[in-house]
Amino acid sequence: APLRDFVKSRSECRGVREHEGASSYCLPRHVDYGFRVLGNLDPLGELLPVRLAMSSNHEPDYSEEDARHARPTFLAADVAVSGLSPGKRYALLRYTDIDSIPADGEFLAKFVASGSTPEAYFDGSSSGTWHMRVTFESNSTQFRCVAA
């Protein structure tokens, strides 16, 4: 199906039984493909896997598509970093503006040069993972983890 046939708003999904509901989405009826997201832009191979386990599966929708313009709220999550080497030093970086995340690498150097302080410095454990509880506004946070 041509790109122009993809759904561009929730209202275009209405009436598609298998995708009903307030937060529904859908592909054209006779399409069985999608897009694969390979991860964050990381040209120098610096980033480690970071996962957020949210304490709630709800957040306000302030986007223009549904005209709700709900106010952001604070969310809580467990940040889990994996792929760590025991004894090696790492930094968890918190970005509040997606445009400030470097596209060309050198994440830690640029983060510190901007006057920001990492959310945490920590050492890799023998389990290869690390966890931390965080709170953040629903419209403002991106995490990255790099070797320090």
Side-chain angles (χ1 to χ4, degrees):
L3 187 57
R4 70 176 175 275
D5 292 343
F6 274 88
V7 172
K8 294 169 191 67
S9 70
R10 285 192 180 130
S11 63
E12 291 180 50
C13 283
R14 291 194 180 106
V16 178
R17 262 185 47 196
E18 61 269 23
H19 297 292
E20 290 182 13
S23 61
S24 68
Y25 61 92
C26 57
L27 294 171
R29 287 185 187 271
H30 302 291
V31 173
D32 62 355
Y33 62 85
F35 295 93
R36 182 175 177 196
V37 177
L38 299 175
N40 296 312
L41 186 60
D42 183 17
L44 303 178
E46 298 170 83
L47 299 177
L48 286 103
V50 176
R51 304 280 185 266
L52 285 177
M54 304 303 299
S55 62
S56 169
N57 67 352
H58 172 77
E59 66 177 294
D61 188 346
Y62 60 89
S63 65
E64 294 179 15
E65 78 182 37
D66 60 13
R68 290 183 187 171
H69 304 291
R71 290 184 163 274
T73 61
F74 279 91
L75 302 174
D78 180 56
V79 173
V81 180
S82 59
L84 305 173
S85 297
K88 190 169 181 179
R89 192 91 169 133
Y90 296 94
L92 181 66
L93 312 178
R94 178 192 291 227
Y95 294 91
T96 56
D97 177 4
I98 198 163
D99 292 328
S100 67
I101 301 174
D104 54 354
E106 298 182 11
F107 293 92
L108 183 57
K110 291 176 181 173
F111 192 83
V112 172
S114 75
S116 299
T117 302
E119 184 74 13
Y121 284 103
F122 60 95
D123 296 322
S125 67
S126 60
S127 71
T129 61
W130 178 83
H131 297 267
M132 178 180 172
R133 191 77 173 156
V134 294
T135 58
F136 54 92
E137 260 195 305
S138 58
N139 67 339
S140 66
T141 302
Q142 303 285 320
F143 291 97
R144 301 291 185 268
C145 185
V146 295

